[in-house]
Structures are given as structure tokens and as C-alpha cells.
């Protein structure tokens, strides 16, 4: 999932495991027929399936505070090949990001190892 967008393969069931970080939210995709509460400290599961590629509106259906009106997202169902390509691109981006972060933090790691690690293990 990316910010306010969820990508899923069309034509096959997808299980979503949801939880809330702070208050109860309700994950709802009206055209896919699913709504489930997202409760802090608990993981709930819902299975959704889009019959064909399409874009569906989704939202939080439980008043959850001041930002409730901003909790809208889009669920995009795509063909399996397109989904696999999208997923592979996300994994490549994640690995690149990890490598960049490692290089970015190398000076801090070296400083810690030189000045702090003898006491703070």
C-alpha cells in the first residue's frame, strides 16, 4: 500500500490484516462489499476480491477524530502481470532505500563505534 492508494490483483481473493494504531477506524470498500473495524491491539482480517481491473473508492467509516474526513483512499485492482511488476518495483525501491540509508548513516555508525561502543554495547 502507498499513501492513500492500495494496489491488489484482480480476479483473486486477497486477505487484508488490519489494526489501528490509536483509535478505532473502519476500513470500508463499498463496491467490494467489505467493511471491518481496525482496533488498536487487535488484528482483524477481511478477504476482498475484485472481479476485474478497476479503481474503487474506500474510506474510514468510523468517526475517529479530527482527521476523519481526510481518510479516503483508492483501491486499484490490476491484472496479475501488472500487479507482479508493481510489487517487484516496490521491492527494488525498498532495497535501494535501505542501501542509501546505510551509506547515509555510515559516518554516525563510525563515530559511535569509535567514541561510544566501548561502554554502550
Amino acid at each position: 500500500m502507498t499513501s492513500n492508494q492500495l494496489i491488489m490483483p484482480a480476479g483473486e481473493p486477497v486477505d487484508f490484516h488490519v489494526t489501528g494504531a490509536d483509535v478505532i477506524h473502519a476500513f470500508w470498500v463499498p463496491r467490494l462489499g467489505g467493511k471491518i473495524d481496525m482496533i488498536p491491539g487487535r488484528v482483524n482480517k477481511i478477504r476482498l476480491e475484485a472481479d476485474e481491473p478497476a479503481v474503487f473508492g474506500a474510506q474510514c467509516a468510523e468517526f475517529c477524530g479530527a482527521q476523519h474526513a481526510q481518510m479516503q483512499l483508492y483501491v486499484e485492482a490490476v491484472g496479475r502481470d501488472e500487479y507482479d511488476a508493481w510489487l517487484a518495483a516496490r521491492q527494488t525501491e525498498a532495497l535501494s532505500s535501505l542501501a542509501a540509508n546505510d551509506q547515509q548513516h555510515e559516518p554516525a555508525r563510525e563515530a559511535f563505534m569509535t567514541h561510544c561502543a566501548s561502554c554502550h554495547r
Side-chain angles (χ1 to χ4, degrees):
M1 179 172 174
T2 58
S3 179
N4 296 68
Q5 181 185 34
L6 188 145
I7 307 293
M8 64 183 278
E12 56 190 87
V14 178
D15 290 336
F16 295 92
H17 299 252
V18 300
T19 188
D22 48 6
V23 297
I24 297 174
H25 299 276
F27 176 70
W28 185 34
V29 188
R31 287 186 49 208
L32 296 182
K35 179 164 71 168
I36 194 164
D37 284 340
M38 301 170 68
I39 302 169
R42 180 175 176 177
V43 177
N44 286 331
K45 183 174 83 171
I46 185 169
R47 177 172 285 179
L48 301 176
E49 183 173 351
D51 294 332
E52 58 189 17
V55 177
F56 307 96
Q59 65 189 54
C60 177
E62 178 83 25
F63 181 73
C64 54
Q67 293 300 312
H68 175 71
Q70 307 304 318
M71 293 189 177
Q72 298 178 346
L73 63 134
Y74 296 93
V75 176
E76 184 175 356
V78 298
R80 174 44 89 170
D81 291 343
E82 187 177 345
Y83 177 77
D84 289 342
W86 176 85
L87 188 59
R90 299 294 84 68
Q91 291 170 337
T92 300
E93 287 175 12
L95 290 174
S96 296
S97 177
L98 286 174
N101 281 340
D102 285 350
Q103 292 171 359
Q104 176 185 1
H105 295 110
E106 183 60 25
R109 189 190 73 74
E110 287 180 19
F112 178 82
M113 294 305 288
T114 301
H115 304 290
C116 308
S118 61
C119 297
H120 300 277
R121 294 183 188 256

